[in-house]
Amino acid sequence: MPESFLSKAKRLVEEGLVGDAILLLEEAVENGKETAEIAKMLAKLSLQIDEVRAFQSWCHEGLRMNPKDLEIYQMLEDYFRLHGRDFEADEVRAVADTMRLRG
């Protein structure tokens, strides 16, 4: 079940084993257990190890599966703002605002 992958990955992260957590979650994806939550966690972990392309890809994958997940929009906006990419941050915020209005 996908939740067990998430629980185990969180424990690995707590133990400082970020790489192992990423491998475990990637294994879940390879085995067809992918969820928006797994994609979101992979995005967060990718950013921790400075894998920006992977971060963005996992964010987009998470949004593909759950376009109403406002946390993912916030993650992208924060990243773009932090790196002076305000135009992209504004675009992400506009989409998130639209999603909020739709409820």
Side-chain angles (χ1 to χ4, degrees):
M1 180 165 216
E3 289 75 26
S4 64
F5 282 101
L6 281 171
S7 297
K8 188 170 182 182
K10 288 176 183 176
R11 271 187 264 119
L12 288 168
V13 170
E14 289 170 3
E15 296 170 12
L17 302 171
V18 173
D20 290 344
I22 290 171
L23 290 174
L24 176 72
L25 294 174
E26 287 177 343
E27 177 185 322
V29 171
E30 289 172 12
N31 290 319
K33 309 283 189 199
E34 185 177 17
T35 65
E37 288 300 313
I38 286 176
K40 185 166 42 176
M41 187 167 184
L42 277 165
K44 290 175 183 179
L45 295 176
S46 295
L47 201 54
Q48 282 185 22
I49 62 168
D50 203 29
E51 288 290 337
V52 175
R53 279 192 141 161
F55 164 74
Q56 291 176 334
S57 293
W58 286 117
C59 283
H60 290 293
E61 187 64 14
L63 288 173
R64 181 190 64 76
M65 290 183 280
N66 183 5
K68 294 182 179 185
D69 190 332
L70 297 177
E71 183 182 2
I72 299 173
Y73 292 105
Q74 189 63 56
M75 290 165 49
L76 284 164
E77 181 184 355
D78 291 347
Y79 173 80
F80 290 139
R81 291 237 187 266
L82 182 66
H83 293 89
R85 296 167 64 179
D86 290 330
F87 178 76
E88 290 164 291
D90 292 344
E91 285 182 328
V92 170
R93 171 172 255 164
V95 173
D97 288 345
T98 300
M99 297 308 281
R100 275 188 202 93
L101 292 174
R102 290 183 184 167

